[in-house]
Amino acid sequence: MRPEKRALILPLLSSVIANVGIVLAQNATVNVDACPGYNATNVSNIRNGLKADLVLAGKACNVYGKDYERLSLTVTYETDNRIHMKIVDPSNSRYEVPESVFPRPKSWDGNRDSPNINFRYTKSPFSFSITRKSTNEVLFNTTGYPLVFEPQYLRVKTALPTNANIYGLGEHTNSFRLPPENTVRTLWNRDAIGGIPNGTNLYSDHPVYFEHRTTGTHGVFLLNSNGMDVKLQTVNGGTSLEYNVIGGILDFYFLAGPSPVDVAKQYAAVAGLPAEIPYWGLGLHQCRWGYKDYYEVAQVVANYSAANIPLETMWTDIDYMYERLVFTNDPQYFPLAKMREMVSDLHARGQQYIMMVDPAVGVRPGVSGAYDRGQALGGVWMKNPDGSDFHGLVWPGVTVWPDWFNPKTPTYWENEFRLFFDPATGIDIDGAWIDMNEPASFCMYPCSDPSAEAISQGLPPSRTSPPPASTLSLPIGTSAPSLISNLLKRDNMYTNVLNPPYAIHNAGENLSARTVFTNVVHSNGLIEYDTHNLFGTMMSSATRDAMAKRRPGLRTFIITRSTFAGAGAKVGKWLGDNLSIWEHYRNSIAGMLNFAALFQVPEVGSDVCGFGDNTTETLCARWATLGAFNPFYRNHNADGPIPQEFYRWPTVAQAARNAIDMRYRLLDYFYTALHQAHLDGTPVLQPLWFQYPKDANAYGIDLQFLFGESILISPVTQENVTSVSVYFPDDIFYDFKSYAITNGAGATVDLSNIDYTEIPVHIRGGVVLPLRVSSAYTTKQLRKKDFELVVAPDRSGKASGSLYIDDGVSITQAKTYTARYTYSGKQLKVSTKGSFDVGGLKYRTVKVLGVQSAPSSVWLNGHTLASSAIAYNSTSHSIAVNVTQPLTSSFTLKWT
């Protein structure tokens, strides 16, 4: 850091500002609602909005510091469905989330004359509300709750309806619908040790919530990366939501909806549209922390083949590293030649390989090339307030961390990826897995002697098994089997960044517990107190850029643990270190819905069968079927518990085969949904109330969900049972396998005799599904399979659908294929366009469900079909018609 910057910051970090008369009331019983708040003065209209000064309205409360006497308010109608409100200190530039990390959306055609939501305010004392124009209902209302704005405490509070339906504010393992009575959602990214406990802050920070009412849905996003508590409370019959933020500014975006899908799209326009992933990323992934050497990894691949369970991508955890040093491989246990041979064999079989990359770099001069090269650049590491390198403790022992704000760091990171993962001389990975990026540290605060702690914790850990013989031949083979069936001044006036006056409900002992300390300084002068929650997303961006330079023009596939708002535009996310327990199996559904439906991170999933503790055969079987409907589908567990690859038990193996068969046949339907999400933010997973917004019974359901918009997933969620109560909204549904009809009545239906190898899956009426006619061992093989169309009419006899195909790997597509399907009046129209080469692929059959009697005649493009081409099933009440039409053709099928 340059001396002039250090001179600016060190006094800020090392001294306590003397504010005469201030009483810091961390443990006092101050009624914040009795604080004076502010008066609005000098209110004036600006283009598409207004601005005003906010002046302290009375005697300062000074709850956790000195109240600011004057603030600046700006309100902008950015679109007809989005209002942007900022409250800042006009005299000093407080920290804001940098534009380089979170690019701001552009204001385009918002107009104060025709918005769908309005900003209304009262001058004295200042309060504001957001109202819906069409209904005049109040969506956000601070009346009676004064604004508090202090150096390390910002408070905004809004009234809510009784029994409000609030969703979001993650990452957490609470229920999907947050209890409005007494819930505190703490946002401070944390390495959750020992599982992912309910009610605590976890790995990611997404300060956005959706509120749903029978009259519509709206969203509220606070763009702030500082630690915060968001409190939902119901007191004396009145419900409220209160932000308690320990830094930064108030930077709100209000989203109009009115449908839940509308809000999701509007949030995507702010946070960024999700990245498209390679087609192969939707296959089955296998990983474990604890594979002792390259041969065991290769043997797992071979075992999946022998068990006839499709495996798309093999992963390796930190086990491959030499003494846990990033960008190294152990020459005895994971020798480079054998690793290159294994990756070559996987690629020849149409499979992929992914490796773990941690952010912490071991301080091992002469041993860690990654450390030496970082030092040669002048040190690209995060710094202590005195300018020295901050040292912590992770797997390799004493470590440093890349400073993602240092302009040299992106080049450094790209170079490490280029060297270690060089296709010609290194390990040619297909994707990257980044972990421990909250960032996590094992050094207990105050971490005065990291070297001594490394010794006491036994870091790096020693290997406990002998290395494999160098003459072993890999058991994989080279043929895949066929399947049998902007920078600101930092004058923040913070008094204490290690122990701030207001203590958020962090599950760690303090903000610096098991992480980089909050007084650490970045090369641009920002401090970790403000930017902590950005570390994982910044590492994600740097890793994406590094992978993109390895394979120019191709989509990247990166899975991270820690995220901030907007991360889905670059990477996917797994839900962290769960346990092999039924509670975490159930929690995974709400976790997926939060990220895929609300936070715009669609490529998400849990560690199938659980990460920590021993799984059981029945739990793993059920999880194998549920996991097949995670966008990201990976079996992964820890070092120590029993192995849990799907082939370990006959029941689990069959459950995986059955579930993967459904997943792979549906893969193009889901790939089409992912493409639509990339275009406009339409969620790829949805809670039931997204499609049934007026059904109050659906608001709290988080053990069922929609895969895409039309496939209802209703897993068995209790141990040692073969039945489940399934809620069917007032609509028509068809069993995915038998095509049996269920006429939903807005009530639960008990399904029984559900084998451990099965999962209830239903088609929601109103869709035309493009399905592959059969599954395959790899997605490369799957792309060569023909299609069938399944028409599932709604109660009015109508249905529609679509199909999108591209090359599955390129960022920019030169050619694409799309098809649109419409069904009405016993007539199906298929319209295709695009010049992507689909080869000889065909629509083999069309199946129409819900047909009560055999058709008398069927016409294809006006020509009567022979009876031999038509089959009616009186049990399933369905017609199957052999059409054998090229995928490129448009055609019409009609029947009477």
Side-chain angles (χ1 to χ4, degrees):
M1 182 189 300
R2 295 196 299 272
E4 61 270 23
K5 281 191 176 179
R6 192 174 299 130
L8 171 67
I9 292 170
L10 290 183
L12 172 68
L13 300 178
S14 59
S15 66
V16 175
I17 299 173
N19 292 309
V20 178
I22 296 177
V23 177
L24 301 183
Q26 176 66 54
N27 298 312
T29 56
V30 174
N31 179 11
V32 182
D33 287 343
C35 288
Y38 292 79
N39 292 330
T41 64
N42 301 324
V43 181
S44 61
N45 291 330
I46 59 175
R47 182 184 178 274
N48 292 341
L50 62 87
K51 64 179 181 178
D53 294 330
L54 302 180
V55 180
L56 197 63
K59 182 180 178 181
C61 260
N62 298 334
V63 187
Y64 300 104
K66 185 178 180 181
D67 288 341
Y68 280 82
E69 295 184 359
R70 182 177 293 270
L71 301 169
S72 178
L73 165 72
T74 305
V75 177
T76 308
Y77 287 74
E78 293 191 335
T79 76
D80 289 343
N81 294 307
R82 185 173 78 229
I83 293 175
H84 184 196
M85 186 199 80
K86 289 181 72 172
I87 299 178
V88 303
D89 172 16
S91 59
N92 292 285
S93 295
R94 288 172 60 87
Y95 166 77
E96 302 181 31
V97 176
E99 184 97 16
S100 61
V101 181
F102 191 96
R104 304 306 194 265
K106 294 181 179 179
S107 176
W108 48 288
D109 60 355
N111 190 320
R112 289 190 63 192
D113 296 328
S114 60
N116 292 317
I117 51 175
N118 285 299
F119 179 90
R120 303 186 187 281
Y121 66 94
T122 299
K123 286 186 176 182
S124 179
F126 169 73
S127 65
F128 72 92
S129 63
I130 304 295
T131 60
R132 190 182 299 284
K133 182 180 179 180
S134 61
T135 62
N136 205 35
E137 64 184 314
V138 179
L139 308 180
F140 195 99
N141 183 15
T142 68
T143 302
Y145 302 124
L147 168 68
V148 180
F149 203 112
E150 299 171 352
Q152 290 180 263
Y153 181 69
L154 284 63
R155 184 260 203 175
V156 173
K157 186 175 182 180
T158 177
L160 292 175
T162 302
N163 202 31
N165 301 301
I166 303 291
Y167 309 84
L169 301 171
E171 180 179 6
H172 60 77
T173 51
N174 297 52
S175 57
F176 185 54
R177 177 184 177 269
L178 295 170
E181 293 81 17
N182 187 24
T183 295
V184 179
R185 286 295 314 116
T186 298
L187 304 185
W188 183 256
N189 295 353
R190 178 180 75 93
D191 176 14
I193 303 300
I196 44 177
N198 289 350
T200 68
N201 51 309
L202 298 176
Y203 312 101
S204 297
D205 175 14
H206 293 269
V208 60
Y209 73 83
F210 288 28
E211 186 197 336
H212 179 66
R213 308 174 185 182
T214 56
T215 53
T217 311
H218 65 277
V220 179
F221 171 49
L222 173 58
L223 178 53
N224 183 300
S225 63
N226 289 83
M228 68 180 76
D229 287 335
V230 185
K231 299 178 180 180
L232 283 165
Q233 301 176 62
T234 300
V235 179
N236 297 325
T239 303
S240 64
L241 182 148
E242 179 183 80
Y243 294 91
N244 298 265
V245 190
I246 61 173
I249 66 169
L250 296 174
D251 194 354
F252 281 98
Y253 291 86
F254 299 97
L255 310 173
S259 78
V261 173
D262 288 335
V263 178
K265 292 179 179 181
Q266 290 155 13
Y267 180 62
V270 175
L273 292 164
E276 288 197 285
I277 64 168
Y279 188 89
W280 60 260
L282 296 174
L284 172 66
H285 303 258
Q286 175 61 47
C287 184
R288 186 182 187 183
W289 173 31
Y291 289 139
K292 62 183 182 295
D293 53 50
Y294 76 89
Y295 190 81
E296 185 175 11
V297 174
Q299 189 64 60
V300 169
V301 177
N303 290 345
Y304 267 93
S305 297
N308 194 39
I309 302 173
L311 176 65
E312 185 69 22
T313 305
M314 190 66 202
W315 295 46
T316 305
D317 208 312
I318 56 176
D319 310 284
Y320 75 87
M321 300 176 185
Y322 174 69
E323 296 190 352
R324 300 297 191 258
L325 294 167
V326 69
F327 301 117
T328 69
N329 61 284
D330 191 300
Q332 290 186 292
Y333 292 82
F334 292 85
L336 181 59
K338 289 295 186 181
M339 294 294 286
R340 286 179 52 78
E341 180 185 353
M342 180 175 68
V343 174
S344 177
D345 288 353
L346 286 167
H347 289 171
R349 292 158 54 98
Q351 294 170 298
Q352 280 70 230
Y353 186 59
I354 288 176
M355 298 171 76
M356 162 80 79
V357 178
D358 278 345
V361 178
V363 181
R364 299 283 298 279
V367 179
S368 169
Y371 177 74
D372 292 341
R373 287 184 289 271
Q375 287 293 91
L377 289 172
V380 292
W381 321 121
M382 299 167 74
K383 305 292 185 182
N384 288 308
D386 64 3
S388 62
D389 293 343
F390 174 81
H391 286 174
L393 203 62
V394 193
W395 296 113
V398 180
T399 59
V400 289
W401 282 265
D403 177 4
W404 305 115
F405 287 104
N406 189 317
K408 296 179 182 179
T409 301
T411 300
Y412 162 76
W413 199 247
E414 290 166 8
N415 187 56
E416 294 306 312
F417 269 75
R418 180 184 63 82
L419 293 173
F420 189 67
F421 300 120
D422 189 302
T425 60
I427 304 172
D428 188 17
I429 57 172
D430 300 283
W433 174 25
I434 53 179
D435 189 16
M436 307 293 287
N437 53 352
E438 292 71 36
S441 172
F442 302 154
C443 200
M444 303 306 293
Y445 184 82
C447 191
S448 55
D449 191 345
S451 297
E453 282 214 37
I455 294 171
S456 68
Q457 293 188 32
L459 297 173
S462 300
R463 294 189 183 271
T464 58
S465 62
S470 60
T471 56
L472 286 175
S473 298
L474 293 177
I476 299 177
T478 58
S479 299
S482 297
L483 191 63
I484 304 172
S485 201
N486 289 331
L487 188 60
L488 302 173
K489 291 183 293 185
R490 257 62 61 189
D491 191 10
N492 288 308
M493 298 181 66
Y494 294 160
T495 60
N496 190 336
V497 297
L498 291 172
N499 294 287
Y502 175 85
I504 62 173
H505 290 63
N506 178 30
E509 310 89 75
N510 52 62
L511 294 183
S512 297
R514 300 187 65 87
T515 189
V516 171
F517 292 180
T518 50
N519 66 347
V520 161
V521 184
H522 295 278
S523 70
N524 60 0
L526 296 179
I527 58 174
E528 191 67 3
Y529 179 83
D530 290 321
T531 66
H532 168 85
N533 286 341
L534 303 179
F535 188 95
T537 288
M538 294 188 73
M539 182 188 182
S540 298
S541 295
T543 303
R544 177 188 178 276
D545 293 345
M547 289 293 289
K549 287 194 174 182
R550 289 182 64 249
R551 296 180 176 181
L554 298 185
R555 299 171 188 165
T556 59
F557 186 83
I558 299 163
I559 299 297
T560 184
R561 188 167 76 174
S562 181
T563 59
F564 181 70
K570 302 289 181 65
V571 296
K573 148 84 180 170
W574 101 98
L575 295 175
D577 298 344
N578 58 7
L579 301 178
S580 297
I581 58 177
W582 285 87
E583 180 186 15
H584 286 189
Y585 165 88
R586 292 187 290 268
N587 289 348
S588 71
I589 301 173
M592 284 193 303
L593 288 174
N594 270 306
F595 279 89
L598 308 184
F599 303 156
Q600 290 295 331
V601 186
E603 184 61 5
V604 61
S606 65
D607 282 344
V608 172
C609 298
F611 175 74
D613 295 344
N614 291 328
T615 194
T616 65
E617 182 174 0
T618 54
L619 174 59
C620 199
R622 291 294 188 208
W623 217 327
T625 62
L626 172 59
F629 297 95
N630 288 208
F632 173 53
Y633 185 21
R634 184 184 69 166
N635 181 328
H636 177 49
N637 74 317
D639 188 10
I642 61 174
Q644 62 182 40
E645 293 86 1
F646 287 156
Y647 53 75
R648 297 284 178 176
W649 303 270
T651 302
V652 178
Q654 190 57 50
R657 294 185 198 105
N658 293 348
I660 293 171
D661 178 82
M662 287 190 287
R663 177 184 179 91
Y664 279 22
R665 292 185 62 214
L666 280 162
L667 210 60
D668 293 86
Y669 154 83
F670 194 68
Y671 187 75
T672 301
L674 282 167
H675 177 66
Q676 192 62 43
H678 174 69
L679 294 179
D680 66 8
T682 300
V684 300
L685 296 185
Q686 299 184 15
L688 268 66
W689 61 268
F690 267 42
Q691 291 300 317
Y692 302 94
K694 294 189 179 299
D695 185 349
N697 294 328
Y699 298 166
I701 293 176
D702 58 9
L703 296 179
Q704 297 174 251
F705 62 98
L706 292 166
F707 186 70
E709 293 186 342
S710 302
I711 300 297
L712 176 62
I713 310 300
S714 307
V716 176
T717 56
Q718 298 296 324
E719 186 174 10
N720 297 326
V721 300
T722 56
S723 61
V724 63
S725 294
V726 175
Y727 182 78
F728 288 102
D730 187 9
D731 206 346
I732 189 170
F733 297 86
Y734 305 84
D735 184 273
F736 183 79
K737 290 187 174 181
S738 71
Y739 303 145
I741 296 173
T742 296
N743 270 302
T748 56
V749 175
D750 291 333
L751 303 183
S752 58
N753 299 318
I754 304 167
D755 194 89
Y756 287 102
T757 65
E758 301 292 341
I759 182 172
V761 178
H762 291 83
I763 305 169
R764 181 170 161 257
V767 66
V768 179
L769 286 175
L771 305 179
R772 298 284 181 170
V773 294
S774 62
S775 184
Y777 192 79
T778 66
T779 60
K780 187 175 181 179
Q781 294 174 345
L782 185 67
R783 288 173 65 88
K784 298 176 182 179
K785 300 284 187 177
D786 287 338
F787 284 86
E788 66 178 6
L789 296 178
V790 175
V791 180
D794 60 19
R795 285 172 171 167
S796 66
K798 298 179 180 180
S800 62
S802 63
L803 173 64
Y804 170 81
I805 299 177
D806 59 21
D807 69 12
V809 294
S810 298
I811 296 173
T812 302
Q813 295 289 335
K815 299 177 181 180
T816 62
Y817 166 93
T818 58
R820 302 289 178 190
Y821 314 117
T822 57
Y823 178 81
S824 180
K826 299 182 180 180
Q827 178 175 278
L828 172 68
K829 291 184 177 180
V830 177
S831 302
T832 65
K833 67 177 182 178
S835 56
F836 178 76
D837 184 6
V838 296
L841 292 178
K842 296 177 175 61
Y843 292 109
R844 281 204 203 162
T845 59
V846 172
K847 295 178 179 177
V848 183
L849 312 185
V851 179
Q852 297 305 310
S853 60
S856 57
S857 299
V858 179
W859 297 270
L860 177 62
N861 294 330
H863 301 285
T864 303
L865 291 177
S867 59
S868 59
I870 307 161
Y872 178 71
N873 188 314
S874 59
T875 301
S876 63
H877 299 290
S878 62
I879 308 169
V881 182
N882 184 354
V883 294
T884 315
Q885 292 291 297
L887 207 66
T888 54
S889 67
S890 297
F891 63 91
T892 300
L893 184 73
K894 188 174 181 179
W895 62 277
T896 59

